Amino acid sequence: QTYILFHLQQLNVLDAHVISDGARHMAEATYMKKKMYYNMRIKTIKRNTSNVLRKVMEARQAKISQINLNLNVLVRQKKDVERELQEIEAGGGSGR
């Protein structure tokens, strides 16, 4: 009823009841309050969504940084092992 009274303001009778100016104003006020409420809910949900996405991206970036750090350590250790193997092969394997 509120929606109809707000959008069809030229309507004089609804469900066999005469519509007063007070009812029209009440419908308009109620509609505007609901519109503001739901717009605020939408803004809150969008803000919460963007906050969650930002935190997810920060966590993802932290995880990527940790993985890169671990990868660099492993690459360095692999090179050390390869260098030691080359030294052993170059020494004829009788280093002891």
Side-chain angles (χ1 to χ4, degrees):
Q1 181 177 353
T2 302
Y3 182 83
I4 291 172
L5 289 178
F6 179 76
H7 285 288
L8 300 175
Q9 293 184 0
Q10 72 277 10
L11 198 62
N12 293 323
V13 177
L14 179 65
D15 293 334
H17 296 288
V18 176
I19 300 168
S20 67
D21 284 340
R24 255 186 253 286
H25 291 302
M26 182 66 82
E28 184 177 353
T30 302
Y31 184 85
M32 295 308 280
K33 285 180 187 176
K34 287 183 178 187
K35 185 177 178 179
M36 285 191 315
Y37 171 78
Y38 287 112
N39 282 337
M40 290 306 295
R41 292 286 296 155
I42 289 168
K43 286 181 184 179
T44 301
I45 290 169
K46 284 182 179 179
R47 184 177 57 245
N48 290 346
T49 301
S50 67
N51 287 341
V52 167
L53 287 174
R54 182 176 41 81
K55 289 183 184 217
V56 165
M57 292 305 289
E58 288 172 1
R60 179 179 178 266
Q61 192 58 43
K63 192 58 93 172
I64 288 172
S65 296
Q66 184 65 39
I67 289 171
N68 284 335
L69 182 66
N70 291 343
L71 182 62
N72 288 339
V73 169
L74 288 173
V75 167
R76 202 173 318 118
Q77 289 176 346
K78 178 184 176 236
K79 287 180 182 178
D80 289 345
V81 168
E82 288 174 347
R83 189 177 318 111
E84 288 181 21
L85 285 174
Q86 286 177 352
E87 289 174 4
I88 290 173
E89 289 174 358
S94 59
R96 293 183 183 192

